[in-house]
Amino acid sequence: MKFPKTIFLVLSILITMISCQTRVVTPNKPMYDNTLELYRKYTIQTKDAKSQKLEIIKVDATKIYGKNKAGEMVEIERSEVRDIKKPDVILSVLIGLAAVAAVIFIPI
């Protein structure tokens, strides 16, 4: 009986850590000059549906400059950005703790 609860607990924590992201820029919420924080990691989706995880290095009036996981410099036109998300670690931890509490206190 203890083994299935452990598997459920581990899977729920992993899913919440992966899925919790805050949308910073959407088609309804435009990007301003101070929207992105420098040297933070963001997932940027362009209008051609490509997603890239970047650490933002510089933002100017026309482009976003960042480094990808391989260390390569990437430039993305601001006009081509469809969606930008940033990971929300605090929310992930809270959801993970709620999942742990549910497994412990609610009998299955």
Side-chain angles (χ1 to χ4, degrees):
M1 278 269 175
K2 197 99 172 148
F3 188 68
K5 285 185 180 181
T6 306
I7 291 174
F8 175 74
L9 175 67
V10 170
L11 288 176
S12 65
I13 290 174
L14 285 174
I15 288 172
T16 57
M17 292 299 279
I18 293 170
S19 65
C20 287
Q21 293 186 349
T22 303
R23 291 179 188 256
V24 178
V25 175
T26 62
N28 296 332
K29 188 177 175 184
M31 181 172 30
Y32 298 106
D33 290 335
N34 60 355
T35 301
L36 302 177
E37 296 178 33
L38 298 180
Y39 305 106
R40 298 241 0 223
K41 296 185 186 227
Y42 292 92
T43 303
I44 300 175
Q45 183 178 17
T46 56
K47 290 183 179 177
D48 57 355
K50 292 181 183 177
S51 288
Q52 297 184 14
K53 292 185 179 183
L54 300 176
E55 179 181 355
I56 303 300
I57 303 297
K58 179 182 171 186
V59 178
D60 63 14
T62 59
K63 291 187 179 184
I64 300 171
Y65 303 91
K67 280 187 183 178
N68 62 9
K69 207 172 203 180
E72 301 169 345
M73 288 298 294
V74 177
E75 298 178 7
I76 299 175
E77 293 285 333
R78 283 178 75 158
S79 61
E80 292 298 314
V81 172
R82 178 173 181 252
D83 194 34
I84 299 178
K85 299 175 190 172
K86 71 175 180 177
D88 195 355
V89 177
I90 295 171
L91 184 60
S92 299
V93 170
L94 290 175
I95 292 174
L97 289 174
V100 169
V103 169
I104 292 173
F105 296 117
I106 298 174
I108 296 177

